[in-house]
Amino acid sequence: MTSEFDQLGLHPQLVQAVSERGYSTPTPIQTKIIPLTMTGQDVLGQAQTGTGKTAAFALPILHLITPGAGHVQALIVAPTRELAMQVAKAVYEYGRNREVRVLAIYGGQPYGRQINRLRKGVDVVVGTPGRLLDLIKQKALDLSQVRTVVLDEADEMLSMGFVEDIETILETTPSERQTALFSATLPPAIRRLADQYMNDPQAITIQRQQL
Ligand code: AMP
């Protein structure tokens, strides 16, 4: 089956996964972000939930990944446990045909299971700042080979006081990584974070639309 997702140059297994989910047409943010991030460009996306932003950042990550390489290749940071779980589920479902291994890491869960999964090898980690930092400090989470970092709902993370945690996490990833930041608003603190940790990001603004 062909779909407009083919034309974005995505891996056929990903095109199949999105059509199995019933998506036939990419949303405006997907049309803009997917081709851009597939080239390695940093993006600063002003977009809210409901625009299809999760697939916009997840599909290029899944396209560029080598499943089962044995190290964390992409990191997605989200403000809350609920969002981390929801994003991890979406990444897992889009990447299922490619056998991508995804782990959600958040507080309030025993460490043992998360650490065991990390030991066995995970391709994509989706987590909240506090627990990510805990596992980095315990040397259970190694981000030294991460290729792409996504900061989702960055304004929420900043207003929850996570800015220093995020900076510490970013500093454990390679400086040549690709960074994508999504935020509903772009206050000065977000722009500062972008200036400091992103490489010539392209700004993309998407108005809210209901899917
Ligand atoms: P998000 O903004 O990422 O939270 O996505 C909002 C909702 O839109 C989710 O339920 C997605 O499954 C759905 N969605 C994402 N992309 C598409 C698409 N291209 N076509 C139809 N639904 C989509």
Short mmCIF file of all heavy atoms in Angstrom, two decimals, residues 118-167:
data_model
loop_
_atom_site.label_atom_id
_atom_site.label_comp_id
_atom_site.label_asym_id
_atom_site.label_seq_id
_atom_site.Cartn_x
_atom_site.Cartn_y
_atom_site.Cartn_z
N LEU A 118 18.16 -2.13 30.68
CA LEU A 118 19.29 -1.38 30.11
C LEU A 118 20.47 -2.30 29.87
O LEU A 118 21.16 -2.18 28.86
CB LEU A 118 19.68 -0.22 31.04
CG LEU A 118 18.71 0.97 31.03
CD1 LEU A 118 19.02 1.93 32.17
CD2 LEU A 118 18.75 1.72 29.70
N ARG A 119 20.70 -3.23 30.78
CA ARG A 119 21.82 -4.17 30.62
C ARG A 119 21.65 -5.03 29.39
O ARG A 119 22.61 -5.36 28.70
CB ARG A 119 21.91 -5.09 31.84
CG ARG A 119 22.60 -4.45 32.99
CD ARG A 119 23.29 -5.49 33.87
NE ARG A 119 23.65 -4.86 35.12
CZ ARG A 119 22.98 -5.03 36.26
NH1 ARG A 119 21.96 -5.86 36.33
NH2 ARG A 119 23.36 -4.38 37.33
N LYS A 120 20.39 -5.40 29.10
CA LYS A 120 20.14 -6.28 27.94
C LYS A 120 20.26 -5.54 26.62
O LYS A 120 20.34 -6.17 25.57
CB LYS A 120 18.74 -6.89 28.06
CG LYS A 120 18.67 -7.98 29.11
CD LYS A 120 17.33 -8.67 29.08
CE LYS A 120 17.13 -9.56 30.29
NZ LYS A 120 15.75 -9.52 30.76
N GLY A 121 20.23 -4.21 26.65
CA GLY A 121 20.38 -3.43 25.41
C GLY A 121 19.08 -2.78 25.00
O GLY A 121 18.08 -3.47 24.78
N VAL A 122 19.09 -1.47 24.92
CA VAL A 122 17.91 -0.68 24.55
C VAL A 122 18.34 0.30 23.47
O VAL A 122 19.43 0.87 23.55
CB VAL A 122 17.40 0.08 25.81
CG1 VAL A 122 16.34 1.09 25.44
CG2 VAL A 122 16.87 -0.90 26.86
N ASP A 123 17.51 0.46 22.44
CA ASP A 123 17.83 1.39 21.35
C ASP A 123 17.37 2.83 21.65
O ASP A 123 18.07 3.77 21.33
CB ASP A 123 17.15 0.93 20.04
CG ASP A 123 17.55 -0.47 19.64
OD1 ASP A 123 18.75 -0.76 19.62
OD2 ASP A 123 16.64 -1.30 19.35
N VAL A 124 16.15 2.94 22.21
CA VAL A 124 15.57 4.26 22.46
C VAL A 124 15.11 4.33 23.91
O VAL A 124 14.36 3.46 24.37
CB VAL A 124 14.33 4.53 21.55
CG1 VAL A 124 13.78 5.94 21.79
CG2 VAL A 124 14.66 4.32 20.09
N VAL A 125 15.55 5.35 24.64
CA VAL A 125 15.11 5.58 26.01
C VAL A 125 14.20 6.80 26.03
O VAL A 125 14.52 7.83 25.42
CB VAL A 125 16.32 5.80 26.96
CG1 VAL A 125 15.86 6.38 28.29
CG2 VAL A 125 17.06 4.48 27.19
N VAL A 126 13.05 6.65 26.71
CA VAL A 126 12.13 7.78 26.91
C VAL A 126 12.00 7.95 28.41
O VAL A 126 11.62 6.99 29.11
CB VAL A 126 10.74 7.48 26.32
CG1 VAL A 126 9.86 8.73 26.43
CG2 VAL A 126 10.81 6.98 24.89
N GLY A 127 12.33 9.12 28.95
CA GLY A 127 12.29 9.20 30.41
C GLY A 127 12.05 10.59 30.95
O GLY A 127 12.11 11.59 30.23
N THR A 128 11.79 10.63 32.24
CA THR A 128 11.64 11.90 32.95
C THR A 128 13.01 12.29 33.52
O THR A 128 13.83 11.41 33.84
CB THR A 128 10.59 11.78 34.06
OG1 THR A 128 10.92 10.66 34.89
CG2 THR A 128 9.20 11.56 33.49
N PRO A 129 13.26 13.61 33.67
CA PRO A 129 14.62 14.06 34.01
C PRO A 129 15.19 13.45 35.30
O PRO A 129 16.35 13.02 35.31
CB PRO A 129 14.46 15.58 34.14
CG PRO A 129 13.28 15.92 33.29
CD PRO A 129 12.35 14.75 33.41
N GLY A 130 14.39 13.42 36.37
CA GLY A 130 14.93 12.98 37.67
C GLY A 130 15.44 11.55 37.63
O GLY A 130 16.58 11.26 38.04
N ARG A 131 14.63 10.63 37.12
CA ARG A 131 15.05 9.23 37.10
C ARG A 131 16.16 8.99 36.09
O ARG A 131 17.06 8.17 36.33
CB ARG A 131 13.83 8.33 36.82
CG ARG A 131 14.12 6.83 36.79
CD ARG A 131 14.71 6.26 38.08
NE ARG A 131 13.82 6.23 39.21
CZ ARG A 131 13.13 5.17 39.62
NH1 ARG A 131 13.21 4.03 38.98
NH2 ARG A 131 12.36 5.25 40.68
N LEU A 132 16.13 9.71 34.97
CA LEU A 132 17.23 9.57 34.00
C LEU A 132 18.56 9.91 34.68
O LEU A 132 19.54 9.16 34.57
CB LEU A 132 17.01 10.49 32.80
CG LEU A 132 15.93 10.10 31.79
CD1 LEU A 132 15.68 11.24 30.80
CD2 LEU A 132 16.30 8.82 31.04
N LEU A 133 18.53 11.04 35.42
CA LEU A 133 19.75 11.48 36.08
C LEU A 133 20.21 10.48 37.14
O LEU A 133 21.40 10.18 37.26
CB LEU A 133 19.50 12.85 36.70
CG LEU A 133 20.70 13.70 36.99
CD1 LEU A 133 21.59 13.86 35.77
CD2 LEU A 133 20.24 15.09 37.47
N ASP A 134 19.25 9.93 37.89
CA ASP A 134 19.59 8.90 38.89
C ASP A 134 20.33 7.74 38.24
O ASP A 134 21.34 7.26 38.75
CB ASP A 134 18.31 8.28 39.48
CG ASP A 134 17.73 9.11 40.60
OD1 ASP A 134 18.35 10.12 40.96
OD2 ASP A 134 16.64 8.73 41.09
N LEU A 135 19.80 7.26 37.10
CA LEU A 135 20.40 6.08 36.46
C LEU A 135 21.74 6.42 35.81
O LEU A 135 22.63 5.57 35.74
CB LEU A 135 19.43 5.47 35.46
CG LEU A 135 18.21 4.80 36.11
CD1 LEU A 135 17.25 4.28 35.06
CD2 LEU A 135 18.62 3.64 37.02
N ILE A 136 21.90 7.68 35.38
CA ILE A 136 23.20 8.10 34.85
C ILE A 136 24.23 8.08 35.98
O ILE A 136 25.33 7.54 35.84
CB ILE A 136 23.11 9.51 34.22
CG1 ILE A 136 22.28 9.47 32.94
CG2 ILE A 136 24.50 10.09 33.95
CD1 ILE A 136 21.88 10.85 32.40
N LYS A 137 23.83 8.63 37.14
CA LYS A 137 24.75 8.68 38.28
C LYS A 137 25.10 7.29 38.77
O LYS A 137 26.22 7.06 39.23
CB LYS A 137 24.13 9.50 39.42
CG LYS A 137 24.15 11.00 39.11
CD LYS A 137 23.59 11.81 40.26
CE LYS A 137 23.64 13.29 39.93
NZ LYS A 137 22.61 14.05 40.67
N GLN A 138 24.16 6.36 38.68
CA GLN A 138 24.44 4.97 39.08
C GLN A 138 25.22 4.20 38.01
O GLN A 138 25.44 3.00 38.14
CB GLN A 138 23.12 4.22 39.34
CG GLN A 138 22.36 4.70 40.54
CD GLN A 138 21.07 3.90 40.74
OE1 GLN A 138 21.04 2.68 40.49
NE2 GLN A 138 20.01 4.55 41.18
N LYS A 139 25.55 4.86 36.91
CA LYS A 139 26.26 4.25 35.77
C LYS A 139 25.46 3.11 35.13
O LYS A 139 26.03 2.21 34.50
CB LYS A 139 27.67 3.78 36.15
CG LYS A 139 28.51 4.87 36.82
CD LYS A 139 29.88 4.95 36.18
CE LYS A 139 30.78 6.00 36.79
NZ LYS A 139 30.29 7.38 36.57
N ALA A 140 24.16 3.14 35.29
CA ALA A 140 23.31 2.13 34.66
C ALA A 140 22.86 2.61 33.29
O ALA A 140 22.50 1.80 32.43
CB ALA A 140 22.09 1.85 35.54
N LEU A 141 22.87 3.92 33.07
CA LEU A 141 22.44 4.49 31.80
C LEU A 141 23.63 5.21 31.16
O LEU A 141 24.15 6.17 31.71
CB LEU A 141 21.28 5.47 32.04
CG LEU A 141 20.76 6.23 30.81
CD1 LEU A 141 20.27 5.27 29.73
CD2 LEU A 141 19.65 7.20 31.20
N ASP A 142 24.05 4.69 30.00
CA ASP A 142 25.19 5.25 29.28
C ASP A 142 24.67 5.96 28.03
O ASP A 142 24.12 5.31 27.14
CB ASP A 142 26.13 4.08 28.92
CG ASP A 142 27.32 4.54 28.07
OD1 ASP A 142 27.46 5.75 27.82
OD2 ASP A 142 28.09 3.67 27.64
N LEU A 143 24.83 7.27 27.99
CA LEU A 143 24.32 8.04 26.85
C LEU A 143 25.45 8.49 25.93
O LEU A 143 25.27 9.37 25.10
CB LEU A 143 23.53 9.25 27.36
CG LEU A 143 22.30 8.93 28.22
CD1 LEU A 143 21.64 10.22 28.73
CD2 LEU A 143 21.27 8.11 27.42
N SER A 144 26.63 7.86 26.08
CA SER A 144 27.80 8.35 25.34
C SER A 144 27.73 8.06 23.84
O SER A 144 28.54 8.58 23.08
CB SER A 144 29.08 7.74 25.92
OG SER A 144 29.07 6.34 25.72
N GLN A 145 26.76 7.21 23.41
CA GLN A 145 26.67 6.94 21.97
C GLN A 145 25.33 7.38 21.39
O GLN A 145 24.92 6.91 20.33
CB GLN A 145 26.91 5.45 21.72
CG GLN A 145 28.33 5.05 22.10
CD GLN A 145 28.64 3.63 21.69
OE1 GLN A 145 28.78 3.32 20.50
NE2 GLN A 145 28.73 2.74 22.66
N VAL A 146 24.66 8.28 22.11
CA VAL A 146 23.37 8.78 21.64
C VAL A 146 23.57 9.67 20.41
O VAL A 146 24.48 10.49 20.37
CB VAL A 146 22.68 9.57 22.78
CG1 VAL A 146 21.61 10.49 22.25
CG2 VAL A 146 22.10 8.61 23.80
N ARG A 147 22.72 9.47 19.42
CA ARG A 147 22.81 10.25 18.19
C ARG A 147 21.82 11.41 18.18
O ARG A 147 22.10 12.46 17.65
CB ARG A 147 22.51 9.27 17.03
CG ARG A 147 22.91 9.77 15.72
CD ARG A 147 22.42 8.90 14.58
NE ARG A 147 22.53 9.68 13.38
CZ ARG A 147 21.69 10.63 13.05
NH1 ARG A 147 20.62 10.86 13.77
NH2 ARG A 147 21.88 11.33 11.96
N THR A 148 20.63 11.13 18.76
CA THR A 148 19.57 12.16 18.75
C THR A 148 18.98 12.32 20.15
O THR A 148 18.70 11.32 20.82
CB THR A 148 18.44 11.74 17.79
OG1 THR A 148 18.99 11.55 16.50
CG2 THR A 148 17.34 12.79 17.72
N VAL A 149 18.79 13.57 20.56
CA VAL A 149 18.08 13.86 21.81
C VAL A 149 16.86 14.70 21.47
O VAL A 149 16.96 15.66 20.70
CB VAL A 149 18.97 14.63 22.82
CG1 VAL A 149 18.17 15.02 24.06
CG2 VAL A 149 20.19 13.81 23.21
N VAL A 150 15.71 14.32 22.04
CA VAL A 150 14.49 15.12 21.89
C VAL A 150 14.07 15.61 23.27
O VAL A 150 14.00 14.82 24.21
CB VAL A 150 13.34 14.29 21.28
CG1 VAL A 150 12.05 15.12 21.22
CG2 VAL A 150 13.70 13.76 19.90
N LEU A 151 13.82 16.91 23.39
CA LEU A 151 13.26 17.47 24.62
C LEU A 151 11.80 17.79 24.31
O LEU A 151 11.51 18.68 23.51
CB LEU A 151 14.02 18.74 25.03
CG LEU A 151 15.53 18.57 25.23
CD1 LEU A 151 16.18 19.92 25.53
CD2 LEU A 151 15.83 17.58 26.36
N ASP A 152 10.90 17.02 24.88
CA ASP A 152 9.47 17.18 24.57
C ASP A 152 8.81 18.00 25.67
O ASP A 152 9.09 17.79 26.85
CB ASP A 152 8.82 15.79 24.45
CG ASP A 152 7.46 15.86 23.78
OD1 ASP A 152 7.11 16.90 23.20
OD2 ASP A 152 6.74 14.84 23.83
N GLU A 153 7.92 18.91 25.28
CA GLU A 153 7.26 19.80 26.23
C GLU A 153 8.29 20.48 27.13
O GLU A 153 8.22 20.46 28.36
CB GLU A 153 6.17 19.05 27.03
CG GLU A 153 5.14 18.47 26.07
CD GLU A 153 3.80 18.08 26.71
OE1 GLU A 153 3.67 18.13 27.94
OE2 GLU A 153 2.90 17.72 25.93
N ALA A 154 9.27 21.10 26.48
CA ALA A 154 10.39 21.71 27.20
C ALA A 154 9.93 22.81 28.15
O ALA A 154 10.47 22.94 29.25
CB ALA A 154 11.40 22.26 26.19
N ASP A 155 8.91 23.58 27.77
CA ASP A 155 8.45 24.65 28.68
C ASP A 155 7.91 24.06 29.98
O ASP A 155 8.12 24.61 31.06
CB ASP A 155 7.44 25.59 28.00
CG ASP A 155 6.31 24.88 27.28
OD1 ASP A 155 6.33 23.64 27.20
OD2 ASP A 155 5.39 25.57 26.81
N GLU A 156 7.23 22.92 29.88
CA GLU A 156 6.73 22.24 31.09
C GLU A 156 7.90 21.80 31.97
O GLU A 156 7.87 21.95 33.19
CB GLU A 156 5.92 20.99 30.72
CG GLU A 156 4.61 21.27 30.03
CD GLU A 156 3.61 21.92 30.97
OE1 GLU A 156 3.57 21.53 32.15
OE2 GLU A 156 2.90 22.83 30.51
N MET A 157 8.93 21.25 31.34
CA MET A 157 10.08 20.76 32.13
C MET A 157 10.75 21.92 32.84
O MET A 157 11.15 21.79 33.99
CB MET A 157 11.06 20.00 31.24
CG MET A 157 10.43 18.73 30.68
SD MET A 157 11.62 17.51 30.13
CE MET A 157 12.02 18.10 28.52
N LEU A 158 10.85 23.05 32.14
CA LEU A 158 11.47 24.22 32.78
C LEU A 158 10.62 24.73 33.93
O LEU A 158 11.15 25.04 35.00
CB LEU A 158 11.72 25.32 31.75
CG LEU A 158 13.15 25.33 31.20
CD1 LEU A 158 13.58 24.03 30.59
CD2 LEU A 158 13.36 26.47 30.25
N SER A 159 9.30 24.79 33.73
CA SER A 159 8.48 25.34 34.83
C SER A 159 8.41 24.35 36.00
O SER A 159 8.13 24.75 37.13
CB SER A 159 7.10 25.79 34.35
OG SER A 159 6.40 24.70 33.85
N MET A 160 8.72 23.10 35.78
CA MET A 160 8.79 22.14 36.88
C MET A 160 10.16 22.15 37.56
O MET A 160 10.41 21.36 38.48
CB MET A 160 8.45 20.72 36.38
CG MET A 160 6.99 20.57 35.98
SD MET A 160 6.67 19.10 34.98
CE MET A 160 6.58 17.85 36.25
N GLY A 161 11.06 23.01 37.09
CA GLY A 161 12.36 23.16 37.75
C GLY A 161 13.41 22.15 37.31
O GLY A 161 14.38 21.90 38.02
N PHE A 162 13.24 21.58 36.12
CA PHE A 162 14.16 20.54 35.65
C PHE A 162 15.33 21.05 34.82
O PHE A 162 16.07 20.25 34.25
CB PHE A 162 13.41 19.51 34.80
CG PHE A 162 12.53 18.56 35.57
CD1 PHE A 162 11.24 18.25 35.12
CD2 PHE A 162 13.00 17.92 36.72
CE1 PHE A 162 10.44 17.35 35.81
CE2 PHE A 162 12.20 17.02 37.40
CZ PHE A 162 10.92 16.74 36.95
N VAL A 163 15.50 22.39 34.75
CA VAL A 163 16.48 22.88 33.78
C VAL A 163 17.90 22.38 34.05
O VAL A 163 18.60 21.94 33.13
CB VAL A 163 16.41 24.43 33.63
CG1 VAL A 163 16.83 25.16 34.88
CG2 VAL A 163 17.26 24.89 32.46
N GLU A 164 18.29 22.36 35.34
CA GLU A 164 19.66 21.89 35.62
C GLU A 164 19.82 20.40 35.32
O GLU A 164 20.85 19.96 34.82
CB GLU A 164 20.03 22.16 37.08
CG GLU A 164 20.41 23.61 37.27
CD GLU A 164 20.69 23.96 38.71
OE1 GLU A 164 20.89 23.04 39.54
OE2 GLU A 164 20.67 25.16 39.01
N ASP A 165 18.78 19.62 35.65
CA ASP A 165 18.82 18.19 35.34
C ASP A 165 18.99 17.98 33.83
O ASP A 165 19.78 17.15 33.38
CB ASP A 165 17.53 17.48 35.78
CG ASP A 165 17.43 17.36 37.30
OD1 ASP A 165 18.35 17.82 37.99
OD2 ASP A 165 16.42 16.80 37.77
N ILE A 166 18.24 18.75 33.06
CA ILE A 166 18.31 18.60 31.60
C ILE A 166 19.70 18.95 31.10
O ILE A 166 20.27 18.25 30.26
CB ILE A 166 17.22 19.47 30.92
CG1 ILE A 166 15.86 18.84 31.21
CG2 ILE A 166 17.46 19.59 29.42
CD1 ILE A 166 14.71 19.71 30.81
N GLU A 167 20.26 20.02 31.65
CA GLU A 167 21.61 20.41 31.22
C GLU A 167 22.62 19.32 31.56
O GLU A 167 23.48 18.98 30.74
CB GLU A 167 22.00 21.75 31.87
CG GLU A 167 21.19 22.89 31.29
CD GLU A 167 21.43 24.23 31.97
OE1 GLU A 167 22.06 24.27 33.06
OE2 GLU A 167 20.99 25.24 31.42
#
